[in-house]
Amino acid sequence: MAPIERIADELEKPATDDRSYRVIRLSNKLEALLVHDPDTDKASASVNVNVGSFSDADDMPGMAHAVEHLLFMGTEKYPVENDYNQYLSAHSGYSNAYTSSTETNYFFEVAASSSRDSDASTNGAVTSPLYGALDRFAQFFIAPLFLSSTLDRELKAVDSENKKNLQSDVWRLSQLKKSLSNPEHPYHHFSTGNLQTLRDEPRKRGVNIRDKFIQFHHKHYSANRMKLVVLGREKLDELEAWVGDLFAGVENQDLPRNRWDGVQPYSGKELLTQVFAKPVMDSRLLDIYFPYQDEEDMYETQPSRYLSHLIGHEGPGSILAYIKAKGWANGLSAGVAPVCPGAAFFTISVKLTEDGLKQYQEVVKVVFQYISLIKEHGPQQWIVDEVREMTEVDFRFKEKSPATSFTSRLSSIMQHPLPRDQLLSGTSVLRKFDSKGIAQAMSYIRPDNYRLTLVSQTFPGDWDQKEKWYGTEYRVEAIPSELQASIRQAAESTSKNRIPDLHLPHPNEFIPTKLSVDKREGVEPLKAPKLIRNDEAVRVWWKKDDRFWVPKGNVYITLRNPLSKATPETAVKSNLYCELVKDALVEYSYDAEIAGLEYQLSSFSMGIDIDVGGYSDKMYVLLEKVLVSMRDLEVKPERFKIVKERVLRGLRNWDFQQPYRQVGDFTRWLGSEKGWINEQYLAEVIPLTPEDIASFYPQLLRQMHIEFLAHGNIHKEDAIRMTDLVESTLRPRTLPKSQWQIRRNLLLPPGSDFTYRRTLGDPANVNNCIEYYLYVGSLADHSLRAKLLLLGQMTEEIGFDQLRTKEQLGYIVFTGAKYAATVMGYRVIIQSERPTEYLEERVNAFLALFGSKLESMSQDDFDGHKKSLINKRLEKVKNLDQESERFWNHISAEYFNFIQNETDVEHLKPLGKPDMIDFFNHYIQPTSPSRAKLSVHMIAQSSPKAIAGTISAEEQKEKLISMLGKYLTSVGVDTDTDQLSKRFEYVDVAGGDQTAIIGAISSYLQNDAGVPQQSLTAVVEQGQQLLGTVLPSLGIEVKVEETDLPPAPEVKPTTLIEDVFDYKSRLAVSEGPRPVRDLKEYEELEAKL
């Protein structure tokens, strides 16, 4: 083995971090961070390559993204296209990747050992799943195949991913910002790519696209541009040997780090302009973009933190406090956004109200007045010291994150010029006060160095252009000279003429000072909290942290009251009440938030939820303020109007979400005895007045049962004290148990098959969606639950491979268990341009295919799935928040099954293959007479059927022949349009008969154009791929050739749900949840102070 250089053997790390670290460099200059975690149950690795969309060819945008997809499709050593994901799935793992502007990041996780509590290696023989995963992973960067057979499918996956985002304002506005930037800078690129940019247009130019992708990989994927992170149970020496062995074959071309010096994303042409953009959702945003310095080398001082801390502050004296009081804004954020080495933006983003939209110029002036205030005061060391102190505290008590989150993030951080012993702390900890550096940073925030963007569906209304890639309507113009002059005046304001309400923040009283933890060595962590009070009024659960030893805690409170969602009207009132309380607390709670202490307030079916979490030192103080604000809320008409409008907008925007994010709400609604959907809430908001909320919320607080959980660095007496605080502040009457809501679900009868169809609200969304749900049984049935979990494990990889990779139904494909309040089932979600009826058919085919695979599954494979699932169920919680959430979920579910995972494993272990076959044939098999199914179809308005309604069959044929003629000419075939038309005389183009269309093209090429046989095949193949895009654009649903697809079985006809009330009234309901153990077993009622 070639020599390995050790760069760092120790890293700065949090006080609670028990991992050991080493940074090495291989002889090919690939750098790696090795992490030994003796207690991890998940191993992981990530490779970050210093190449992204900025390196795409100008005439082939999306190349870096396409290469990312294609690397998963087989390597020389492991040529089977899904071998990598099959291996990971068999060992409790998964993988993913992303492409950004300057990097491509690949990562996976896998079980840390082949069986729980076993050593990673025995007598030198490797048994860890990590080694096998690393071996397959390394080949991505050594010898990927770029198989021709997978090329078209993965490019369709890229295209589907792009189409998924076409109606997303985040993507649309981001691309608009890029498209309107300096075309000389790669920031201008379209990064995702689609079929046109990656396949159709290049092929028209005669480009061999496979060769292009191979060349891109060879040109940019150099070992010295790669950063690898590997985390496992193995000792560092063993991990080092594996990395040296497996990654030594990555070629090193000694490429320089990618930089784009000498050109900036905004040139003088783009500055001092304002862009008006029309969003899909009803939103109002004002963004101010300042070209800014690259702070990569300023990791010790991070001057932008000073600016973002002050400009983005929400407390008294801040920009937000002032413009919120004026009724102009609901929120503000500020911070630096790195673009690439050598370039960045400092961005100020304001969420405007309706009045704020009209007054956006005044908002901009307020921002510049505050900037003048910061400059006038000069850099304040006490402010930097306060920020620095919190960064040090946060790093000192930083807890572990999930394995893939850690490796993926660290491999990206390694691309930055940090000292290698500061990889964990370098970007997290502010180390020095640098007055000159802050002054230099402020020099970029000036009135001749910015661009404004105003986002609104109504203003100004005369957008005159459309962005090329997403179709966003916009207008761009120079900022009027009068506005420029008044902004300059604001930027030069002084204390004499500045708005007097603006001032720097006061010292933060929420900075934690009590950071001690009562740590006890050798304590076996408890698996459940103790019940330290249990009476008619209150149930208090408590667990002192015995696992993570950080000075943090979480308090969860439910104020149980059936009024909160008794009707859509009371649900909307409860929500508005919570939003008004939060609105009133913004200025006060912001100091707590930046000091690591936050709260949440929300309404749900059982009542009102209050969550407080973070450093435990000042937790009581924040909780008291929240409770008093809830009790004494003054519903001010001016704030009510703004908050109501914001809630109303959110409800209206619901229809414009991705279809797969909507479909689950309808499935839940159709499965609930009592529940409401978005349109019912929407109808109730409009007539509400401030008086309605003022008279309603006392009823919410008048009577309740209190469920309380305190977990973390919280002593028993503190938990009791906080519970007393809730009671003494709100002074509620007790809600008798006889009046508690009972959660119930509707039961689908055996043999039933229902379908509910819903047209999407967004007229421009091209994607349909289906959720195909099969009812299995009660959540309390542990045996059925274990079988359902195992089915989800066994179908996860094969479902993705069959439905997404092979059949290319869509980018969004989910399979697995679905849980409701009291029942459970198996579900498949697909978002696709294909008709929902076709998607339903393909799900039936997939399930039938899996049934046959289950029958023929080897015992080793079956046992492997069980082992993989058991490892997942026994995975440890990684931090305090995860454990708190787990406890609260079990309490809220009202089963109180704190050892649910161990119970699952207990019922998984005895399962045999015959058990699963019987389960599958009864509940899942499409031809089963006893299975119960509910399918929800979300249907796009922009479907081919909708388009077809505007184009006649004759026009469709004429346009197709015209497009085919242009295509044939582009590939060098002389085209006689009249002769080509004759070949299509009897072809059913409008019916999407792709076989006949291809036959007509082949006949023309062979008999009329005289194309030789060796060329004919290639031309027809490319033409066939082109049809997949062209036909839907003409409103033609393509008849899919099913010769290579698993056949769909004949199934019984479905019953359409046309009257939901009638449908629900005919179904039986489930039992309500009941504790799996007598709650007295958890009680510890005697005070132990």
Side-chain angles (χ1 to χ4, degrees), residues 376-439:
E376 181 178 271
H377 281 271
Q380 300 288 304
Q381 182 160 354
W382 74 266
I383 293 176
V384 173
D385 288 344
E386 193 175 85
V387 174
R388 178 183 53 76
E389 182 181 346
M390 274 314 304
T391 67
E392 290 172 349
V393 169
D394 287 340
F395 180 71
R396 179 182 168 193
F397 296 108
K398 186 180 178 72
E399 297 174 82
K400 290 180 182 178
S401 57
T404 48
S405 300
F406 175 84
T407 57
S408 176
R409 185 175 62 85
L410 262 293
S411 67
S412 176
I413 287 173
M414 288 177 73
Q415 295 287 2
H416 300 284
L418 290 166
R420 283 3 218 169
D421 64 345
Q422 294 179 20
L423 286 176
L424 302 179
S425 60
T427 57
S428 302
V429 177
L430 182 61
R431 298 171 189 273
K432 295 178 181 178
F433 170 65
D434 180 4
S435 179
K436 290 182 179 178
I438 292 171

Side-chain angles (χ1 to χ4, degrees), residues 462-585:
D462 57 347
W463 310 277
D464 56 2
Q465 297 185 68
K466 279 193 174 184
E467 193 275 325
K468 177 179 180 180
W469 302 108
Y470 289 81
T472 304
E473 293 183 70
Y474 73 94
R475 194 180 92 202
V476 60
E477 63 186 26
I479 294 175
S481 55
E482 302 85 359
L483 178 57
Q484 285 192 47
S486 58
I487 288 174
R488 280 195 302 272
Q489 187 177 0
E492 294 166 1
S493 63
T494 67
S495 56
K496 294 180 181 179
N497 58 0
R498 187 181 301 123
I499 297 167
D501 293 334
L502 298 178
H503 59 77
L504 295 180
H506 300 298
N508 190 345
E509 296 180 359
F510 275 98
I511 300 290
T513 54
K514 297 177 183 177
L515 297 169
S516 60
V517 176
D518 181 20
K519 183 173 182 179
R520 299 177 185 177
E521 300 295 342
V523 175
E524 180 66 26
L526 295 175
K527 294 181 179 179
K530 298 288 187 181
L531 188 53
I532 58 174
R533 180 178 167 188
N534 186 14
D535 53 45
E536 290 184 352
V538 180
R539 217 160 33 197
V540 181
W541 300 87
W542 165 77
K543 184 192 170 191
K544 176 74 170 66
D545 175 38
D546 54 8
R547 190 187 297 270
F548 302 104
W549 312 113
V550 290
K552 300 177 183 180
N554 290 299
V555 167
Y556 295 88
I557 308 166
T558 288
L559 310 179
R560 185 192 295 265
N561 185 321
L563 189 60
S564 66
K565 281 205 174 178
T567 66
E569 181 187 9
T570 62
V572 167
K573 287 179 177 177
S574 299
N575 183 38
L576 262 172
Y577 164 63
C578 291
E579 291 301 314
L580 285 163
V581 173
K582 289 189 287 187
D583 183 72
L585 278 169

Side-chain angles (χ1 to χ4, degrees), residues 167-187:
Q167 291 299 103
S168 164
D169 281 328
V170 171
W171 286 87
R172 292 166 69 90
L173 296 173
S174 172
Q175 187 58 53
L176 178 63
K177 183 182 169 187
K178 294 177 180 180
S179 295
L180 295 179
S181 67
N182 181 1
E184 299 301 313
H185 194 282
Y187 183 72

